[in-house]
Amino acid sequence: MQLPFVVTLRGYDMRQVESLFAEIDRALATDSAVSRAAARDALRAASLRRRFRGYDVVAVDAAIDQRPAALAP
């Protein structure tokens, strides 16, 4: 999966971010209210680790903040 985030020296764990956004994309691809609710819950519960060479924290946080509106019923 190619996400539009810049890799920085210290950023969020890329695998975690990719997994989280893959779940969101799967939920957005369906009309299932249950899948969308689960994705919203995953966003709220997301606790991303910081790693050496990870995705830019500010950009990922901004994208996470925008996603609940897209997942709204």
Side-chain angles (χ1 to χ4, degrees), residues 5 13-15 17-18 35 38 44-45 48 57 60 66 68:
F5 303 123
D13 183 282
M14 291 188 285
R15 287 186 184 152
V17 172
E18 290 166 359
S35 293
R44 283 187 210 107
L48 301 171
V57 171
V60 172
Q66 294 172 350

Side-chain angles (χ1 to χ4, degrees), residues 11-69:
Y12 284 138
D13 183 282
M14 291 188 285
R15 287 186 184 152
Q16 278 189 305
V17 172
E18 290 166 359
S19 175
L20 178 63
F21 279 88
E23 181 177 349
I24 294 165
D25 289 344
R26 282 190 301 273
L28 288 171
T30 71
D31 289 331
S32 170
V34 173
S35 293
R36 288 177 179 236
R40 282 192 307 272
D41 290 344
L43 280 173
R44 283 187 210 107
S47 178
L48 301 171
R49 291 183 304 269
R50 291 187 187 214
R51 298 277 190 222
F52 178 72
R53 289 191 38 81
Y55 287 130
D56 179 68
V57 171
V58 173
V60 172
D61 286 344
I64 288 173
D65 289 343
Q66 294 172 350
R67 288 303 193 270

